[in-house]
Amino acid sequence: MLYQRSSQLFVEAEQVIPGGVNSPVRAFKAVGGTPIFAKSAKGAYVFDEDGNRFIDYINSWGPMILGHAFPPVVEAVIEKAKLGTSFGMPTEMETQIAALAIKMVPGIDKIRFVNSGTEACMSAIRLARGFTKKDKIIKFAGCYHGHSDSFLIQAGSGAVTFGSPNSPGVTVGTAKDTLLAKYNDFESVKVLVEANKNEIAAIIIEPVAGNMGCIPPNKGFLEALRQICTDNAILLIFDEVMTGFRLAKGGVQELLNVTADIVTFGKVIGGGLPVGAFAARAEIMNYLAPLGPVYQAGTLSGNPLAMAAGLAMLKALNEDEAVFQRLSEKTIYLENGIQKALSSNGIAFTINRIGSMISVHFDAAPVVDFQSAAKGDNETFKKFFHGLLNEGIYIAPSAYETWFITDALTYDDLDFTIRAIEKVAKTL
């Protein structure tokens, strides 16, 4: 395929945007080459500025669960835009989408809308600290909760020490309140809790990780986190920015029957527009201003266009009883095809899948945490990525990202993808 127009646009973008992109992974640094500039998308396909068509397995990093330009969402946004794009005042639609989200998700009484997943997670941590009157949090290596300072932390010098910043601009003072545990390793959590008695406000986790590839929790891991939080007056925060309204109507809480204290949302809840949200039982949410002392605000929070898109998306998912089963079946079909294509060519790999999230890791060992994900053969992944791109298949330009399946994919699309993988596998 030719990418002449994309290449030209990237050169122009680099002159006025840091790195030429507004989110680092888009720059193709992990895979090499020039990023593809999108022009339009419809259903399961994205079209670039050079006129190339790709079957899309990013789907805007998750929200296009029913396909690009999903008609009910597009129509809702158009109609709402005719009435005004922003008011800075309450609207009825905010209450409508809040009520529907609360109906769909177990364990929440109230929800507040913000403008991104980062903002949702940042606000959830502040709320947890304010509610518990404790300062420290535990997060997990490889879990991404946005670029708020509290989350950009790497491991410290020992199992019970605080972390250190892994980005300039994050202060040591901020880092000292973030403790780092190992995903799917409950003992690492237990050590931190015991070493920081009565100091930990919250444990925040992607209940299904999506930022080191797709990594489901080991059996009993989330349940153990729930129990240790209950026993130690720690709030359990599920970052369901990726998984919320994707793996089930009620997200991972419903799918795996584990209840968090606070849940954050993004991606699907905005129908493709910039939306985040955080939710909890009333006792916790009432700690937010204007009812309580924990301050959180946003000029464009509850923006009518975003609320219209999100409401249309949640309604569609809520009304379609079979959608999550269809998504799972398509993802299993794809997994089986990838398994056959790669194994028949003697390639070392493992595949992780849950619901409509899937990732391919070029290492034969199980991938259960960041350390095992990091052992994958990145050179093979780069060849795999560019090989698929040239075949008209667009996957995430990083070995540490999950693929997102959309219901707009047909089985013909999946067969086309599997044939492309078979072709590319012969070159790896």
Side-chain angles (χ1 to χ4, degrees):
M1 288 188 177
L2 297 176
Y3 309 113
Q4 185 175 355
R5 177 68 175 149
S6 281
S7 297
Q8 177 188 340
L9 288 171
F10 187 52
V11 170
E12 294 172 6
E14 286 182 301
Q15 307 309 307
V16 292
I17 301 171
V21 294
N22 283 308
S23 190
V25 73
R26 300 176 192 173
F28 277 31
K29 291 288 187 183
V31 293
T34 300
I36 304 301
F37 276 62
K39 186 173 185 178
S40 65
K42 180 67 177 176
Y45 315 116
V46 62
F47 302 85
D48 72 5
E49 288 283 355
D50 289 281
N52 300 310
R53 190 198 82 165
F54 303 90
I55 298 176
D56 186 11
Y57 288 97
I58 296 181
N59 287 291
S60 193
W61 304 94
M64 303 310 180
I65 189 170
L66 300 178
H68 289 284
F70 181 56
V73 169
V74 173
E75 291 161 12
V77 171
I78 290 172
E79 290 306 309
K80 187 57 65 174
K82 292 176 182 176
L83 301 176
T85 57
S86 183
F87 308 118
M89 300 165 61
T91 64
E92 182 183 11
M93 188 162 286
E94 293 168 77
T95 305
Q96 292 172 340
I97 187 173
L100 181 54
I102 289 166
K103 177 183 176 184
M104 294 172 73
V105 178
I108 63 173
D109 300 318
K110 294 186 177 182
I111 186 169
R112 178 162 284 182
F113 288 92
V114 292
N115 297 293
S116 69
T118 291
E119 195 178 336
C121 291
M122 176 187 74
S123 302
I125 288 296
R126 182 183 301 161
L127 177 57
R129 285 173 166 153
F131 183 79
T132 63
K133 299 176 176 59
K134 295 183 282 188
D135 292 338
K136 294 182 180 179
I137 64 169
I138 294 175
K139 73 174 292 289
F140 294 85
C143 283
Y144 179 70
H145 307 291
H147 59 270
S148 178
D149 287 2
S150 295
F151 304 130
L152 296 180
I153 307 299
Q154 61 191 5
S157 59
V160 298
T161 63
F162 54 80
S164 59
N166 66 356
S167 172
V170 178
T171 68
V172 173
T174 297
K176 73 179 178 62
D177 286 328
T178 299
L179 308 169
L180 207 64
K182 190 175 179 181
Y183 195 83
N184 271 328
D185 182 348
F186 178 67
E187 285 304 311
S188 72
V189 179
K190 190 175 177 183
V191 167
L192 292 174
V193 171
E194 290 176 351
N196 296 272
K197 280 287 187 183
N198 302 315
E199 295 183 81
I200 299 170
I203 296 175
I204 185 168
I205 187 171
E206 291 180 273
V208 171
N211 286 283
M212 38 188 162
C214 172
I215 301 184
N218 288 342
K219 187 175 182 181
F221 178 59
L222 295 182
E223 290 84 352
L225 292 183
R226 174 66 276 170
Q227 191 60 54
I228 200 170
C229 285
T230 300
D231 293 344
N232 291 273
I234 297 169
L235 296 185
L236 179 59
I237 303 175
F238 276 4
D239 175 354
E240 293 224 45
V241 168
M242 283 188 179
T243 57
F245 309 102
R246 168 166 281 280
L247 296 185
K249 285 183 184 180
V252 174
Q253 289 191 103
E254 175 190 331
L255 185 69
L256 300 182
N257 194 31
V258 180
T259 302
D261 295 300
I262 304 176
V263 192
T264 65
F265 302 104
K267 314 294 186 187
V268 174
I269 202 173
L273 272 70
V275 181
F278 60 107
R281 61 186 184 270
E283 176 191 12
I284 297 173
M285 294 301 285
N286 288 346
Y287 242 69
L288 284 172
L291 291 178
V294 176
Y295 192 73
Q296 182 277 325
T299 299
L300 290 178
S301 297
N303 175 270
L305 301 189
M307 296 294 93
L311 182 59
M313 179 63 75
L314 294 195
K315 280 183 175 178
L317 294 172
N318 190 53
E319 292 167 2
D320 188 345
E321 294 296 331
V323 63
F324 295 103
Q325 182 63 33
R326 289 198 306 273
L327 283 161
S328 183
E329 289 171 355
K330 289 177 180 180
T331 312
I332 291 169
Y333 186 88
L334 178 63
E335 178 188 16
N336 291 338
I338 298 172
Q339 289 270 10
K340 184 177 179 182
L342 295 181
S343 59
S344 64
N345 285 278
I347 296 165
F349 73 96
T350 190
I351 298 175
N352 284 356
R353 178 194 60 79
I354 183 169
S356 58
M357 296 169 61
I358 185 172
S359 58
V360 180
H361 305 263
F362 289 102
D363 188 87
V367 176
V368 297
D369 54 24
F370 181 72
Q371 288 86 346
S372 51
K375 293 178 181 177
D377 185 342
N378 282 337
E379 290 305 312
T380 298
F381 178 82
K382 291 177 186 178
K383 295 175 185 176
F384 184 67
F385 171 82
H386 283 289
L388 288 183
L389 198 64
N390 287 329
E391 293 298 319
I393 310 296
Y394 193 36
I395 65 171
S398 167
Y400 297 104
E401 301 285 354
T402 186
W403 305 11
F404 295 100
I405 307 304
T406 171
D407 195 41
L409 283 164
T410 66
Y411 281 91
D412 285 342
D413 294 325
L414 296 173
D415 286 334
F416 183 94
T417 302
I418 293 164
R419 287 195 298 271
I421 292 172
E422 289 171 344
K423 182 178 178 181
V424 171
K426 291 179 170 62
T427 70
L428 299 178

